[in-house]
Amino acid sequence: RKEVEQDPGPFNVPEGATVAFNCTYSNSASQSFFWYRQDCRKEPKLLMSVYSSGNEDGRFTAQLNRASQYISLLIRDSKLSDSATYLCVVNRWGSQGNLIFGKGTKLSVKP
Amino acid sequence: NAGVTQTPKFRVLKTGQSMTLLCAQDMNHEYMYWYRQDPGMGLRLIHYSVGEGTTAKGEVPDGYNVSRLKKQNFLLGLESAAPSQTSVYFCASSQWDTQYFGPGTRLTVL
């Protein structure tokens, strides 16, 4: 099993759609979880951290299921500006600062 | 604050040449990292540093060396560039787990 695994997509959705991304991780010792966003030919930027209780930031909701080692990101009311690659990120073996990046899921929102 | 900056933005090398990539951060972060990103491979950690004067190997360290002589700077060196090192190189810094990335250096080795 790969350390962090994501569906590469692409996900092609119309504006206003709800889209969900899933991610699985292999090491149960991981303690920190994130979603990063990367625009084409740009650097990754933190979208949101993921907490055990689930957390929401506007149209974005992140969920963590430790038992299944599964992380999700839900985007509601998609905008054209949401088009990007979304990276699932997990810290490495419980160590601070050392992160493992998934290969990313590409989202394209169409008018 | 500039955040994380990288120099140069683009570079073309011939096989066997050497070069140094410079990363600078003004956030007083302890941790700094060098990654490479290749199509279909995602971000892979080359080397990292947990503080001034320290360095450690990441996932793909071969062919690269690093130095962290000052807290704000992290240098990545290629002693003898190879075509397999053609990639986009990102530097990042963090205080805890949230990493902040520089804009990247696009390196082509012919």
Side-chain angles (χ1 to χ4, degrees), chain B residues 13-68:
Chain B
L13 290 178
K14 294 181 180 178
T15 297
Q17 288 185 316
S18 63
M19 77 164 295
T20 300
L21 281 67
L22 170 64
C23 176
Q25 53 96 2
D26 61 4
M27 296 175 281
N28 202 35
H29 285 167
E30 291 292 338
Y31 289 62
M32 296 187 75
Y33 314 83
W34 276 107
Y35 293 90
R36 61 178 289 173
Q37 188 173 37
D38 303 291
M41 297 295 292
L43 280 160
R44 292 183 292 170
L45 183 65
I46 304 171
H47 286 280
Y48 64 102
S49 168
V50 300
E52 183 179 316
T54 73
T55 63
K57 293 181 180 180
E59 183 185 355
V60 288
D62 294 343
Y64 305 95
N65 56 75
V66 288
S67 63
R68 183 102 182 266

Side-chain angles (χ1 to χ4, degrees), chain A residues 48-88:
Chain A
M48 59 198 301
S49 301
V50 187
Y51 303 115
S52 295
S53 55
N55 47 301
E56 188 173 309
D57 183 3
R59 298 181 293 108
F60 299 83
T61 300
Q63 296 277 355
L64 168 65
N65 184 322
R66 284 186 185 273
S68 302
Q69 294 178 209
Y70 171 95
I71 305 162
S72 65
L73 176 68
L74 184 75
I75 305 175
R76 292 181 299 278
D77 189 21
S78 299
K79 312 291 185 191
L80 296 176
S81 57
D82 293 334
S83 297
T85 297
Y86 291 83
L87 308 176
C88 176

Side-chain angles (χ1 to χ4, degrees), chain A residues 9-69:
Chain A
F11 284 55
N12 298 308
V13 303
E15 269 188 294
T18 295
V19 61
F21 303 138
N22 302 318
C23 168
T24 56
Y25 62 95
S26 62
N27 197 296
S28 59
S30 296
Q31 296 294 323
S32 302
F33 310 90
F34 310 89
W35 285 100
Y36 276 70
R37 170 193 169 128
Q38 187 173 23
D39 293 295
C40 187
R41 301 177 73 82
K42 298 286 189 180
E43 72 272 24
K45 292 184 179 178
L46 178 67
L47 178 66
M48 59 198 301
S49 301
V50 187
Y51 303 115
S52 295
S53 55
N55 47 301
E56 188 173 309
D57 183 3
R59 298 181 293 108
F60 299 83
T61 300
Q63 296 277 355
L64 168 65
N65 184 322
R66 284 186 185 273
S68 302
Q69 294 178 209

